[in-house]
Each structure stands twice: as C-alpha cells, then as structure tokens.
Amino acid sequence: MKRTDPVLLEVARGDRPADVVLRGGRVVNVFGREIEDVDIAIVGDRIAGLGSYDGQQIIDLGGAFVAPGFIDAHMHVESTMLLPPEFVRVAAPHGTTGVVLDPHEIANVHGIAGIKLLMDQSRSLPMNLFFTASSCVPSSPLETSGAELSAADLAPLFDDDRVIGLAEMMNFPGVVFADAGVLEKIRLGLERRVVDGHCPGLSGNHLNAYVAAGISSEHESTTADEAREKLRRGMHLFIREGSAARNVEALVPLVTPENAHRISFCTDDRHPGDLIEHGHIDHVVRRAISLGLDPVTAIAMATIHTADHFRLPDLGGIAPGRYADLVVFERLEDLRPDRVFFHGELIAEGGQFMGSIDPRPLDGSAVAIGLSVRLPDDLNESRLRVEAPGGAIRGIEMDPHQLWTGQRAVEPKVVDGAIGADTARDILKLAVIERHRGSGNIGVGFVHGFGLRAGALASTVGHDAHNLSIVGTNDADMIAAARALERVGGGQCVVKDGQVLALLELPIAGLISVHPAERVAEMQAGLRAAAATLGCPHEDPFMPLSFLSLPVIPKLKLTDLGLVDVEQFEVVSLSAE
Amino acid sequence: MKRTDPVLLEVARGDRPADVVLRGGRVVNVFGREIEDVDIAIVGDRIAGLGSYDGQQIIDLGGAFVAPGFIDAHMHVESTMLLPPEFVRVAAPHGTTGVVLDPHEIANVHGIAGIKLLMDQSRSLPMNLFFTASSCVPSSPLETSGAELSAADLAPLFDDDRVIGLAEMMNFPGVVFADAGVLEKIRLGLERRVVDGHCPGLSGNHLNAYVAAGISSEHESTTADEAREKLRRGMHLFIREGSAARNVEALVPLVTPENAHRISFCTDDRHPGDLIEHGHIDHVVRRAISLGLDPVTAIAMATIHTADHFRLPDLGGIAPGRYADLVVFERLEDLRPDRVFFHGELIAEGGQFMGSIDPRPLDGSAVAIGLSVRLPDDLNESRLRVEAPGGAIRGIEMDPHQLWTGQRAVEPKVVDGAIGADTARDILKLAVIERHRGSGNIGVGFVHGFGLRAGALASTVGHDAHNLSIVGTNDADMIAAARALERVGGGQCVVKDGQVLALLELPIAGLISVHPAERVAEMQAGLRAAAATLGCPHEDPFMPLSFLSLPVIPKLKLTDLGLVDVEQFEVVSLSAE
C-alpha cells in the first residue's frame, strides 16, 4: 500500500486491528542507534506503528531482537552465478531484504540485452532489488568486451524507476581527465540520484577531481588511511566484504560514532558456496562485530545508512510507514537471522526460505540460451606460443586474497626459443582469449604465485570483459580447457592430460548457471578439489584466475590485448628490459 | 559551474591554478565531525579540492577555523519583516548561506501570488534559497485567511526546482484521520522530495499515523521526551531557536554522537532586531555550544545534516565539487563569523555585508502595493462588545516565551451587562478582526498575562491567517489602533487615548516592510518602548500578540471565528460553564 493509504493510517492510529503484531521484541532502532523494547504493528506490506496495538495475528518474539532487513549497498549478482530468483531464495534467509545491483558482468557480455535480462528476472521477488546503470562497459579500452555502452545506450535504462543511479565509475582516469563520454554518463546518474565510485588507491588532487565530478560513494578502499581520506572528501564509504575482496578487518577500526552514518556495507562479489555456508550481509555484520564494532552500529551500517545514502525513505528502519522488512534474531553479538519478514510476510525461518517465487521464463534470445563463447577456429597450441624477447620479462605477482597484483621481473624458462611455464619456480602461463566476437585476440603472460603443478584451469568468468582466462602448466591442456568450455557455452573447468577433471557449466553469458545454488556450490567444490589434485594450494583458485584479467585494479593484469600496467593505464610489453 | 565542468576538474587535479586558495585554515570537516588542517582551493563558485594547490589569489587564514556556510532548515522569511534581498544582506554576515523558506505567512494573505512574490524576490541573491510549498493555507478551518490553497493550487509551484518539498503540515488531525485533500498535498511533496511536519505534542499511535503518511521532519518539539519519540519514529528533528519559540535549551541534551546526523537547526521565525543584534543560525550554534554541545557537532547540525536531509549534495560540507559557501571564524567555543564566502566570493567581513544585491522591482500588483487590510465599514466600539454569558468565562493564559497557551476560568468584570478588561487582575480584551475579505468577522476574547495597563496594541501580523489582532484595556483605543493600521495598509502600532504612540508600517501583505532592516528594528524598538510606557512588562509584546491567534498550537487561541480549543480542534464558547 502507499504511505497515504487511509487503511495504513487507520491501523496506525489504532482504530483498526493490524494484520500482524510482533510483540515482546527488542527493536534495534537504527535512527539513534539504540535498543527499544516496543511492539511492532504491521498492515499489508508496511509497518503501521510502534507501541501498543491489537492485531489479527500476534507473534510473540519472546525477547528476541528485531532489526530492519539488511541491504547490500553494491553487488554484482552474477558473482553468485545465480539468476535473481535463485539468489533471492538463498540470500533472503540470511536477512537480506534489499540489494543495489550493478549488472556490470552480464553487460560486458551481452550489453543492454544482458542488463534487461537481469532486470526482468528481478521483478516480483521478495526482496527490494535496485539497479545502477553499469558505467564501464568495457571497464577500460585495454580489453575487448562483448558490448560497449555509451551514455546514449544507458539513458533508456533510467526509464525504469528501479534504476537509482550510475554504477561504480571504474574509469577514474576518464573522470579525472574529463573524458567527455565519461562525464556524460555521470550527468545521467546525477540527474537520477547518485553516482557510485570505484577508485582504488586514488588520493590527493586526483581524488579531489574524482569527487568534484559528483561521485559520492566508493567501495575499493583497502586501508583505513585510504578510506579516511575518501570520507573526509565527502564520499559515503561502502566497506566491502565479499568472496573476492575482504576489507572489513582493515576498515572497521575507522568507524566512529561520528562518521558511521556515512558508512555502509557491501559484498561486491559473493560466490554461491559462501552465500550458502557463510551468509550475505549478515556475515559482514557478524564479522564487523567480531572485530569489535558495536553491534547496533554495525546493523545501522547494514540498513538505514545505506537507505539514506540511496534516498530510499521506505527502507532501512523500523518506523511507521516503512516497509515491514525485518530480521529477528536471538543474540546481538553473534547475529544469526532466525525469522525474516519481507513486506510483512514471513519469508524465512531457521535458515529455510518459506516465501514463494514464481520463476520468470527466460526468453529465447542469445542472452539466455548460451551463444556467448566464440573462439577462433584456428585456436591451437601455436596461438599460445610466446617468443622469448631476451632478458627478463614482466611477471604478474599474485596474492590469492587480493584483487591487487604486483609486478615482478622474471627470468624466463626458454625452450626452443619460446617461453614456457616453469612449475619449479611457480611460473605459469596465463592466456586471455577474446570470446565475444571471434576476433582472435589472445593475450599471453606469466604469473607467479598460482601454485598449479600440472594441467590447466579455464574460466569464462574473467573480470571485467569476461573473456576466456586460462592458467596452465602446458599449452595442450590449456587449449583442451578452452575447447571444453566452448562446447558447453561457458563455465569453469579443470583439465589434466587433455581430460576434463571437473566442469561447471555457466550457459547464461558464460557467467550464470541454471542450477539451484546448492548444485552450483557442489560443482564449485568439485572444481576446487580437482585443482587441489593438481597441486594448487589456494582455497579457491578460480577467484584469482577470474580477476587476473581485471585492468582497473593495479598493478599488472592480462587482457586479450596483452599485459596492462593499470597505474600507467596502458598495454605494456612482456619484456621487462 | 557544473560538477562535470572540465575546468573544475582541471583545477582539482592541480593542472590549472585555482581562483582562490584559502591557506592555513583549520577546516571543520563535518562529514566525520573532526578538525582537519588543510588548504581549500576554489574555482568559480565551487570548491575544487582540499590539499596543496596554487592559486591566483592566496588568502592566509592564519589558523582561523573554516566551516561550511550555515543552513536554516525551516524559516518564514516574513518573520523578519524584510523582503528576501534585505534579509540576505543582514543574515549573510552571520554566516547563513542557505535557508529552506516556507512562504506560509504571505500565502495566508495573498495565496499563490504572495508565494510567487517571495520566490521572485529570492532570485539571484548571494544565498541558497529553497522553498517548500505551504501546506496549510489556511492553517486550519477555524480561522479566515486571505487565501485557500488546495493541492491543485500548489502543484504548479513544483515546476520551480527551488521548491524541494511540502512545507510543515500543521493539520496533523487531517493527516492522522486521512483527510483526502491533506493526503493529496502530501503526495505532491513526496513525489518531489520531502514533506516537513508540524505536530506539537503529538505522541503514541497518532504520531505513528502522522509519520506513516510520509512526513519526515518536525520542529515543534519542546521537551526532550517529545523530540526523542519523534527521532525514534524516524523523523529528522529540527531544533528550533527563533525569536518566538526557543527550544535549544530543552533539546540539546538529547543530542548524541549516534543521533546527531538526524538533527538540524532552524529558527522558524526571526525578528529583524534579533537578526541584526544576535544573529541567525550562528546564534543557534553558539547557544547550543554554550549549553554544552560539542562545537563541531553543532556546526554539522547547522550544515551537512540539513543538506543531507533535504538531499542537497552541493551544500553543507567543505568537499570537492560542493559550492564554496564558507564561514571563517577565530574561536570554536564562541563562534563569531568573521568572513563569509558564498559561491567562492567574499560577501561579508567583520559583520559587514560586502556582496552585491540588485533589488528586483516589486510589481504593481495588489500583493506589492498594500491592499491587504480591508476592515468592516461599520467597525466601531459596539462591534467589540461582549455580552456577559453569566458565570465564569474561558480566559487565554499567556506565556510570553512560548507559543503554547493555557486556558483558565475567569470571573469576568461586567459593566452594563458587557464584559470589559480588568487591568487590576491583568485581564485584557483581545479582538481578531478578519482583514482580507471584509467579511466583518470579529472574534473577541480575554487574555491573562499580557500586563498592559492602558491603551491598546494592534498588529496585522497575526499567525497564521494574519488577521488584525488587537489587545487593549478599552474598546476606543482598540478601534483607534485598528483604523491606524488600516490607513497605512498594515503594520503594528501602540495607541493610547486615541493617539498613535508608535507605528511600524508593513505595507506588503501587512507583514513586510520596505525599509532597511536597521530602520525596521528601530521602529520595532519604538513600539516596544511605547508599550512599556503603557505598563506592558514583556520584552516584545507584539510577539505573543501575533501568536495568540494561532489555532495550530494548543491550548486556547482566538481567531476571527472565536475562541478555539486547539486540542479539540473546534470553536468553543466564551462561557466556561
């Protein structure tokens, strides 16, 4: 119902019984960050009032806590490898009732058609799903994506009220140096509401320029100093704790009672296994509390401060007129959502989803039916051959827990004039094959720190252009892995001696599965187990593999166009001389 | 310039000298409520960056503090008796760079034409002047105003971008009991941005209904308990400290680091003498600090928290891209604005206005030229005669420092069957004469606590319908005072023995002077001095006089329709029996 519905007001003033009264709960009042022992009256999808009410149904909370439903301030749902209905089914029991989605990944594969697929799949679900228009498709000119979206392409997206701003503007050099097309996109976002940022490591005068342009939030800070500077320049901070990047530990010490209202939580990326096993924003809240953050402050950062930033006055707090999106739990210190209400309906209890979801049919377009992996016909081992340039080469130094990489000078192992992997020194070959247009572009480089001892891993999830990324100990297995993914229309696989040891099919855009979350998580576990048999020591080697191609996070990355020095924002030669 | 102006970004990144660099200042960083020693670079009307910059002009602040310009969250500029250009000239030296105006007073006299006069007079001034559409004209059906504004009348106002919401919804019974016309106005405000509230004493379920309808701010709380409940229900609190109502002392103890971001300051009403002598929002900030509030928190409540509430991302903070609206002062504890910058220009120094204002011509309409006082032709003493009903009567119990009044049973002094004033017991006659339509409506009642010993006072400022209010010790002087104001087209006067002792002409709507502020203040001082010679003990007796007719603040008030019991929301008889 609307705010001005007379029935809402009638229940609020106590002249008509509420549909539901939650009695005996301890309300986490996020407005002043305090606990208030008060009953909650609900009518339809909204909270009618707090205080003394009669209701057709009385639910005794027996002293349990009630908080507003959690909101993820920034997330790519593609990272869950699930379509929105399946994501909601899994995330809702963790207390998530709102997410601001950036459909950046599918946009890089299928453009506006991909965005529209996700927006269509997000309708009529028991979760408040908002969108920001993906600003950087491709994320940089230093890679080949499946689409290029200009401001004119994005403009029609804003016809949908669910689009509340422009998504993370990764092209920070474009902003700072006033690229006309970039500024045009920012104007679109400012006209609608907000422009989200992405400027890892940006500082000083260049940060000033980035903020001056109107970008008002950011989630890439990895140190308290970096985050503090962004806060001081007026940005709203999203502290990110996802499957890929985890910044809560570094940033929670920054939170004070004075600045907490300018800080929110986001996951950015959340893999299906983590989502099922560890949770979503509730996991971030628990982690922040375990690191010493006041629980009520942590909850406020997961709710009202996010709603306020995005100007969503119907969300984020337990107050008259707002949506009855609520999370009930027993303990503040180790917050485990027990019951979850969305728009007044109990949709999850004890971790089990109890709501109803009518899956929307996928349409028959290429977006939906898996025509996103087009490899060169002549793809064979010779296309991966790298002539030794003489002298040291630039190697990518990988940290399995960070999106940032380093650069190290490597003396290559040369056989027959070509550089090969050298497992003895943990130098592996990395290839990124353009898969959208059949251009034949292949970038080849070398990475230290991956730890694979045999075989190859391949993935069509490869940020941000989502070309085909392959890491391997030998060219034959790398080609076999590529062909295996081409056959199934995208996914991730582990290959040894030409045999596919494990495979996860991702037929939608090469990013998203059509299976239930639990099945996807199982298949991911299979991939990890297979990689472990090949000697790879990392918990989830596909995570770093999918980010080694991301040319917007420093320092050295590999795209289909070659090695990219992100700080210089240019393709550089393999030779380190 | 716009946020995305390449010149702004060029200066921000340090590739082009700033117009002005403020060096060596201590920046009040309101985002995290802290002090930051950093230079400020300005280009055009905006802040380009904070940090190390070259500039064409360097201003050494020598360790002085720099805060964002102050914003008044809610004000009726008519209370200053000045047109906006003159208001700005006087308020700007006090550090005010933004005000959210509600043209409620002039709207009650001249309707949309009055609002448009103020909006026109507010153009091109060195202050950010925003408007909210006056929601309650008349403020209640219990009085006769000069205009009645429906939602359909208000809707065209929203064509102007400066209109950022609906103004204080005083008709809280109308909201709570779902009056269709009231809800239609609320929908207008919610569509635009925000709906401001006004619900003195509202609590419990009725407050829930009021908040549920979408009203998100309020400034009428007089106790910490009342304000706390409103905060807990999700309202943004405006702590008011004006010339009429003063709530800082009662409400400042409520402010915590956890809730301060949901609290702002406003003056509501500010008389010209107070504005000149004591200041504007700077005065409120000083007062809050003197009562123990942390100075940086007080400044944040006067700046960013207000800008955030009204969603004004270009205001409220010292950050790249925001307008260079700045206040420089020497001491935090006793904050006295020394220099004031608006949009990058120094507009005041040492309390002197240095900016330029081109007064806009008043048009020749009735709004501008003073045809707003139409008294009944047959107005004479007999119209003020009150037959004794027999027994006790309801008397208005006045507190000169509060808008709230009480009700007391009074044994009337009866002469020739009619009730008269009784100065021995401080019972005075009060009359409210409808002055807009010549309807002949006259309400007559009695007030205790005014303290006048002889003569009469009259005012065409009479909240909210701004009928002609007269308080007196005898009918002859009351009529003489009425006629004196009719002759000059409105104003305030003091009369004794038929002679006008002091007069302030307010020819615009009977509310606003055409003189400079200093002259208006002098004339007000003359009125006060004259009233004092008549024995009136109150510092400013015209203030309570102008509010004794306000039928939206409890308890007992007098309008042209008679005595109003505000809590019962009805006209009541004089008889207390």
Side-chain angles (χ1 to χ4, degrees), chain A residues 223-290:
Chain A
T223 70
D225 281 348
E226 180 182 358
R228 188 179 294 109
E229 184 180 358
K230 289 171 180 171
L231 275 173
R232 284 181 172 162
R233 296 302 161 258
M235 297 191 112
H236 191 103
L237 199 72
F238 301 157
I239 295 182
R240 172 180 55 185
E241 184 86 353
S243 295
R246 300 176 184 190
N247 310 121
V248 163
E249 186 165 5
L251 301 186
V252 151
L254 178 74
V255 181
T256 68
E258 287 78 14
N259 67 20
H261 65 287
R262 302 191 67 87
I263 308 180
S264 297
F265 289 127
C266 76
T267 59
D268 202 356
D269 292 307
R270 196 69 180 147
H271 294 175
D274 289 340
L275 189 60
I276 294 169
E277 190 176 347
H278 300 297
H280 186 209
I281 290 293
D282 62 322
H283 168 76
V284 188
V285 169
R286 277 192 301 275
R287 178 122 176 79
I289 294 170
S290 76

Side-chain angles (χ1 to χ4, degrees), chain B residues 9 25 46 116 122 129 156 159 182 188 191 234 271 287 301 308 340 373 405 409 436 439 466 491 559:
Chain B
L9 306 186
R46 293 195 186 258
K116 289 201 166 167
S122 297
L129 295 177
D159 292 343
V182 165
L188 275 181
E191 266 171 39
H271 295 174
R287 180 123 175 80
M301 288 162 56
D308 280 350
V340 181
V373 183
T405 57
H436 306 292
S439 64
H466 298 297
T559 76

Side-chain angles (χ1 to χ4, degrees), chain B residues 32 77 103 118 173 240 281 319 404 426 466 559:
Chain B
V77 73
L118 287 195
R240 173 180 54 184
I281 290 293
W404 291 62
D426 193 15
H466 298 297
T559 76

Side-chain angles (χ1 to χ4, degrees), chain B residues 169-197:
Chain B
M169 175 48 79
M170 304 178 188
N171 186 356
F172 51 87
V175 179
V176 170
F177 290 94
D179 175 90
V182 165
L183 298 182
E184 185 59 30
K185 289 177 182 175
I186 291 175
R187 278 189 284 272
L188 275 181
L190 292 177
E191 266 171 39
R192 171 51 54 92
R193 205 169 297 179
V194 289
V195 178
D196 189 21

Side-chain angles (χ1 to χ4, degrees), chain B residues 123-135:
Chain B
R123 288 186 192 282
S124 306
L125 294 175
M127 190 176 284
N128 304 295
L129 295 177
F130 299 97
F131 288 83
T132 44
S134 304
S135 66

Side-chain angles (χ1 to χ4, degrees), chain A residues 536-559:
Chain A
C536 187
H538 306 310
E539 194 188 343
D540 181 4
F542 284 88
M543 200 281 287
L545 176 60
S546 69
F547 282 103
L548 287 173
S549 53
L550 179 61
V552 292
I553 303 275
K555 160 69 174 175
L556 190 66
K557 296 292 167 76
L558 180 72
T559 76

